[in-house]
């Protein structure tokens, strides 16, 4: 009764490897965090777990449906605290703690709706690519022999008009990766609204949320009603405003073949402050691969809202050579301004983020 996909299975196995499993109760807790998608699934999970480990020693399960959430209950093991610490909304601190809970979205006001409409208009003009299929056209580089011969049959074999074929332009896939950790708490709402606006205006948009886990939210953002789409999103993603595992999240994304295929030839937009906790090398390695597979790699950070901001953190400084654009996501208006520059990147060389950012800061 649980939709356990390969991503959740991988998260569960990694959690079992990272945590010393000294009891079945600890194993039960790890499964609850990684293998379920909502608190509604806890009773189903508990029934399956208890039926499998029935009679095993050292296992004390919560009563069915009465278990406290991971956010609300403090756990300890051998003197080690497992309290969930909320992330700092200033964007200066990063944490690896996991918070499980839903998120409510405030309705957009008139000013925000105007900016979102501008984002949708700009998304229509995002870069395109030439289709691989040849289609009939008024003029093109190839003669449509089949259609030309069909027309000639009506004129006793005389070719009076040539039919042409061309490869039309088609929209490039857009891949949006949004950091929803605690350090992005003040920005994740309007970033998701911007992703929703792009999804409604442009075909082939894929959106993922990265916090302490990886969640694909493309289907949620395809709903017609924006408020209903965001409401369903709040019921699907349960690691809002939690810890930061950006490098692990990106690596997990690329480890799934179906997800990695979405990057090929796509415009990849990462919205994150880039504050990675611990070893930053997995993040740099993942960003390098994203840049290699994608058409353009764009990184938008709310920290760039500060005029004196310099991407000097070890993680982001190491990723800078692989970025095509580093922009400001400090507000919805700033995010819209950064997204409007995507079309201009077609005329610029790859990996020009550092030079473009320095020019922008100098002009500001």
């Amino acid at each position: 009764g649980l939709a356990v996909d390969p991503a959740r299975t991988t998260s569960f196995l990694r959690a079992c490897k990272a945590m010393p499993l000294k009891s079945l109760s600890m194993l039960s807790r790890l499964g609850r965090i990684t293998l379920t998608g909502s608190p509604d699934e806890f009773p189903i999970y508990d029934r399956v777990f208890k039926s499998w480990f029935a009679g095993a020693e050292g296992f004390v399960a919560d009563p069915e449906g009465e278990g406290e959430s991971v956010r609300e209950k403090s756990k300890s093991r051998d003197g080690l605290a497992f309290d969930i610490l909320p992330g700092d909304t200033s964007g200066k601190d990063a944490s690896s703690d996991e918070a499980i809970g839903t998120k409510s979205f405030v309705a957009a006001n008139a000013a925000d709706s105007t900016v979102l409409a501008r984002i949708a208009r700009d998304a229509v003009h995002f870069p395109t690519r030439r289709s691989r299929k040849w289609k009939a056209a008024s003029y093109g580089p190839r003669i449509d022999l089949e259609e030309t011969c069909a027309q000639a049959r009506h004129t006793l074999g005389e070719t009076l008009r040539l039919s042409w074929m061309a490869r039309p332009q088609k929209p490039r896939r857009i891949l949006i990766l949004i950091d929803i950790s605690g350090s992005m708490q003040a920005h994740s709402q309007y970033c998701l609204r911007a992703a929703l606006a792009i999804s409604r205006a442009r075909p082939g948009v894929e959106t993922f949320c990265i916090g302490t886990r990886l969640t694909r939210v493309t289907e949620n953002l395809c709903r017609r009603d924006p408020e209903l789409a965001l409401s369903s999103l709040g019921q699907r993603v349960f690691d809002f405003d939690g810890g930061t595992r950006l490098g692990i999240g990106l690596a997990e994304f690329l480890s799934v073949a179906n997800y990695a295929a979405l990057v090929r030839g796509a415009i990849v937009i990462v919205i994150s402050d880039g504050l990675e906790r611990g070893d930053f090398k997995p993040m740099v390695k993942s960003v390098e691969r994203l840049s290699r597979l994608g058409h353009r790699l764009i990184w938008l950070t709310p920290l760039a809202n500060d005029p004196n901001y310099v991407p000097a953190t070890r993680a982001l400084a190491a990723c800078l050579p692989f970025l095509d654009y580093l922009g400001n996501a400090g507000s919805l208006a700033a995010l819209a301004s950064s997204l409007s520059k995507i079309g201009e990147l077609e005329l610029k060389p790859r990996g020009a983020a550092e030079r473009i950012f320095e020019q922008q800061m100098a002009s500001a």
Side-chain angles (χ1 to χ4, degrees), residues 41-43 49 100 144 171 180 199 210 212 215 217 221 232 247 255 259 263 291 315:
E41 296 181 352
F42 287 173
F49 193 92
I100 306 297
D144 188 348
I180 57 170
S199 300
I210 300 179
T212 53
T215 309
V217 296
L221 298 184
S232 67
S255 67
Y259 292 169
V263 187
S291 177

Side-chain angles (χ1 to χ4, degrees), residues 130 134-144 162-167:
R130 196 173 295 278
W134 292 86
K135 295 185 178 180
S138 58
Y139 184 79
R142 176 184 292 185
I143 297 176
D144 188 348
L162 294 177
S163 297
W164 301 93
M165 300 180 69
R167 294 166 56 191

Side-chain angles (χ1 to χ4, degrees), residues 253-264:
F253 173 83
L254 292 170
S255 67
V256 181
N258 291 340
Y259 292 169
L262 299 176
V263 187
R264 299 185 183 277

Side-chain angles (χ1 to χ4, degrees), residues 33-178:
I33 294 172
T34 55
L35 297 178
T36 60
S38 70
D40 297 337
E41 296 181 352
F42 287 173
I44 302 175
Y45 170 81
D46 290 339
R47 285 197 300 269
V48 174
F49 193 92
K50 285 187 289 186
S51 65
W52 183 265
F53 290 99
E57 297 181 0
F59 172 55
V60 180
D62 289 335
E64 184 173 313
E66 299 179 0
E68 295 177 300
S69 67
V70 180
R71 176 186 285 274
E72 297 172 344
K73 184 175 180 181
S74 173
K75 302 171 285 299
S76 62
R77 176 183 48 78
D78 296 338
L80 299 178
F82 282 79
D83 294 331
I84 300 300
L85 304 177
D88 192 329
T89 58
S90 65
K92 296 181 179 179
D93 299 321
S95 168
S96 62
D97 297 321
E98 181 166 18
I100 306 297
T102 60
K103 186 180 184 70
S104 58
F105 292 85
V106 181
N109 54 36
D112 291 344
S113 298
T114 303
V115 178
L116 291 171
R118 184 171 59 134
I119 292 176
R121 290 194 301 269
D122 292 338
V124 176
H125 303 290
F126 280 176
T128 58
R129 68 178 180 86
R130 196 173 295 278
S131 174
R132 295 181 180 179
K133 295 183 179 180
W134 292 86
K135 295 185 178 180
S138 58
Y139 184 79
R142 176 184 292 185
I143 297 176
D144 188 348
L145 294 177
E146 183 178 355
E147 182 62 23
T148 299
C149 293
Q151 293 292 334
R153 284 198 295 268
H154 297 288
T155 56
L156 302 178
E158 292 291 337
T159 303
L160 301 181
R161 185 175 66 86
L162 294 177
S163 297
W164 301 93
M165 300 180 69
R167 294 166 56 191
Q169 296 289 330
K170 62 180 300 184
R172 280 193 176 274
R173 183 186 294 115
I174 307 293
L175 174 62
I176 306 176
L177 304 172
I178 302 177

